[in-house]
Amino acid sequence: MTTKFVLLVLALVASAACLERIHFQRRTFTREEYNFEKIAKHLRAKHDRAYVPTSEDAYNEGLSDYSNAQYYGPIHIGTPSQKFIVLFDTGSSNLWVPCSNCPLGNIACQMHNKFNCKKSTTCTATGATFEIAYGTGSMKGVVDNDIVCFGNDNTMCTDKTQGLACAESEPGITFVGAKFDGIFGMGWDRISVNNISQPMDQIFANSALCPNQLFAFWLNRDGNDMANGGEITLCDTDPNHYTGDIAWEPLLSEDYWRINLGGVSIDGESYTTGNTDSIVDTGTSLLTGPSSIIKKIQKKIGATPLLNGEYEIACSKIPTLPNITFSLGGKDFVLRGQDYILQLANGNGQTTCLSGFMGLDIQAPGPLWILGDVFIGRFYSVFDHGNRRVGLATSKNSA
Ligand SMILES: *[C@@H]1O[C@H](CO)[C@@H](O)[C@H](O)[C@H]1NC(C)=O
Ligand SMILES: *[C@@H]1O[C@H](CO)[C@@H](O)[C@H](O)[C@H]1NC(C)=O
């Protein structure tokens, strides 16, 4: 072996220890899977502290409303490890997976991987109950403590004191078909139910394992490369996934990944009046903003209102649509028509095009823009715990 080769091997070993990659699975969505009214209710329940659902809002809250989100991949829990596919959600802060003792009648639970604390030698059943009560539906379960590992190997793991919610009841018929088993919240501990710290905290506390306390999302939008959905990297960024410099914007508060949005403009015309809060939320596919502003944007791009807050546009118009500029971190981030229009297959083999913008008035903390996949798909997004900031750069669409 040459010295060069040994050094190369050492370098590979070193970089493998400092960076974990989780590959996303990928799928396309149909027109029927998009219901803006439902998504709006879900986002209100998730993000608006002033939201009080009425009985008419009785709908099956839970995983089903995450059905348009794309970022899911593997984690392992316990010893020997039990594998789960979870949705990585920067807009919430709890880890939960279905529980092995969920009732037989809970079809959604029966159809997914279930955690069994008794089958893990490192698991402790704390006996504490857990409930995420959004609106009229709720997810109920118990809190177990165990080892949680990211990805497909055992490189990045917590110790066995990590709390997680084992879900016994989880309403939502759509969840039956969900491609993932549970949710992995990657927001801040302040919005964690039961004050359970999120698994990243333990990883970040180990500076030998994780020198950079951050994680980054890359979504592959290359339609010719369907096998590769994208990637989360833990503890480092991957320069192969973006071009230019990363622009940094400090966190406004440690609850959501909340940053200042300097403005939104089209053709040099401003659609906002000064600074406003925005959150970067991988748990939703849309881009939402105050309804009065979004209405003007829909008009400007020539989209036609349908029911439920949805706006349609002729797919043939996509190449002629205006750029929409978001000012963040002192830089301009430009969304093109192909970025902000959702192209959805409908039942008869045709494609429907919907605007990816949705009007949503969030009162507290508000007003608030939610930058979901429409935005994150175009811009590589770095969630930097250590320096309490979010970084954005233009994404490369193929590795
Ligand atoms: C939540 O946990 C943190 C850290 O463990 C602790 O400092 C804080 O007091 C807890 N808050 C509540 C409301 O229990
Ligand atoms: C939109 O922005 C892209 C770069 O992000 C640029 O190449 C294109 O020319 C712009 N289109 C218009 C209509 O300004």
Side-chain angles (χ1 to χ4, degrees), residues 104-169:
L104 273 176
N106 183 345
I107 307 205
C109 177
Q110 297 302 336
M111 300 276 290
H112 286 86
N113 292 315
K114 294 174 280 296
F115 181 60
N116 189 339
C117 185
K118 290 196 183 107
K119 287 196 174 156
S120 166
T121 56
T122 42
C123 186
T124 309
T126 68
T129 56
F130 181 94
E131 178 168 7
I132 295 185
Y134 310 93
T136 48
S138 67
M139 189 280 283
K140 289 181 191 155
V142 292
V143 178
D144 292 333
N145 289 345
D146 209 339
I147 294 169
V148 175
C149 297
F150 292 87
N152 274 318
D153 58 26
N154 292 324
T155 320
M156 298 248 177
C157 300
T158 68
D159 67 20
K160 63 180 187 177
T161 67
Q162 177 60 48
L164 62 116
C166 203
E168 294 166 338
S169 80

Side-chain angles (χ1 to χ4, degrees), residues 47 89-93 185-189 191 198 200 204 213-215 217 248-260 277-282 368-371 382-391:
H47 297 304
D89 179 22
T90 59
S92 67
S93 297
M186 299 182 101
W188 290 77
D189 290 347
I191 55 163
Q198 59 129 322
M200 292 308 302
F204 290 153
Q213 298 165 24
L214 56 80
F215 52 88
F217 277 69
W248 297 100
E249 183 68 52
L251 269 198
L252 292 173
S253 71
E254 291 168 23
D255 45 11
Y256 298 104
W257 286 95
R258 193 199 306 212
I259 54 175
N260 179 55
D277 284 18
S278 64
I279 60 173
V280 189
D281 181 2
T282 59
L368 187 69
W369 289 70
I370 303 175
L371 307 176
V382 188
F383 299 84
D384 187 343
H385 257 255
N387 297 302
R388 283 150 176 73
R389 59 185 184 168
V390 173

Side-chain angles (χ1 to χ4, degrees), residues 141 148 180-181 190 197 264 266:
V148 175
F180 42 89
D181 304 307
R190 198 180 291 170
S197 62
V264 180
I266 307 178

Side-chain angles (χ1 to χ4, degrees), residues 28-68:
T28 50
F29 294 100
T30 63
R31 175 70 184 93
E32 292 70 34
E33 286 173 288
Y34 272 85
N35 178 328
F36 277 39
E37 195 179 4
K38 268 192 158 188
I39 296 173
K41 281 179 181 170
H42 169 65
L43 290 176
R44 263 197 202 105
K46 191 174 164 194
H47 297 304
D48 191 342
R49 285 171 209 146
Y51 177 65
V52 181
T54 64
S55 56
E56 290 88 73
D57 289 347
Y59 68 106
N60 289 324
E61 174 63 52
L63 274 186
S64 57
D65 303 290
Y66 281 101
S67 61
N68 308 115

Side-chain angles (χ1 to χ4, degrees), residues 267 321-323 334 336 378:
D267 292 342
L321 292 177
N323 285 339
V334 175
R336 304 157 301 175
R378 172 79 173 137

